[in-house]
């Protein structure tokens, strides 16, 4: 805020790290009782989009009208660390969906 740094000064610190998240998506053959499977910290097997418990997966699946897929997610960092893992997951999932 301008009022603060005009009175007290300030500095900018910018860093980054080399940790990654991996999102893999493929079509799921119709050999199973479920139509989609998601593997992240949990494993979900569903027959409709409304059954998906993970809100980000559910909403992006609806947004892209995706069906009959298997999605797996692995990351170098655990969730809920405040280091942007949720955003990285969202971007990775969208890239994978657009790649299909």
């Amino acid at each position: 805020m301008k009022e603060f740094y005009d009175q007290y000064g300030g500095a900018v610190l910018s860093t980054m790290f080399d940790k990654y998240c991996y999102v893999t998506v493929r079509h799921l053959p119709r050999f199973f009782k479920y139509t989609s499977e998601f593997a992240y910290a949990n494993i979900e097997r569903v027959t409709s989009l409304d059954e998906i418990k993970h809100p980000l997966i559910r909403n992006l699946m609806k947004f892209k009208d995706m069906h009959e897929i298997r999605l797996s997610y692995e990351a170098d960092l655990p969730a809920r660390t405040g280091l942007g893992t949720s955003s990285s997951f969202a971007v990775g999932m969208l890239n994978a969906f657009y790649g299909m």
Side-chain angles (χ1 to χ4, degrees):
M1 298 182 75
K2 183 173 176 19
E3 295 80 18
F4 182 86
Y5 68 76
D6 277 346
Q7 184 174 355
Y8 300 104
V12 174
L13 173 66
S14 178
T15 63
M16 61 186 301
F17 45 85
D18 63 345
K19 301 299 176 207
Y20 298 90
C21 75
Y22 306 90
V23 179
T24 307
V25 178
R26 67 178 179 89
H27 291 284
L28 186 68
R30 295 184 180 184
F31 298 120
F32 305 101
K33 292 180 181 179
Y34 49 90
T35 58
S36 292
E37 180 180 58
F38 313 102
Y40 52 101
N42 299 315
I43 296 176
E44 293 189 52
R45 293 180 177 126
V46 301
T47 56
S48 77
L49 297 182
D50 291 326
E51 294 176 33
I52 302 171
K53 293 179 183 163
H54 194 290
L56 183 58
I57 296 173
R58 181 180 58 248
N59 289 320
L60 287 180
M61 291 275 294
K62 287 180 179 181
F63 174 71
K64 290 297 296 164
D65 195 27
M66 300 293 290
H67 301 278
E68 298 177 352
I69 67 164
R70 182 181 194 292
L71 180 143
S72 65
Y73 169 73
E74 293 184 40
D76 294 342
L77 296 170
R80 303 188 187 278
T81 58
L83 296 173
T85 54
S86 295
S87 298
S88 298
F89 178 43
V91 170
M93 191 170 16
L94 276 173
N95 278 321
F97 286 174
Y98 279 108
M100 287 185 75

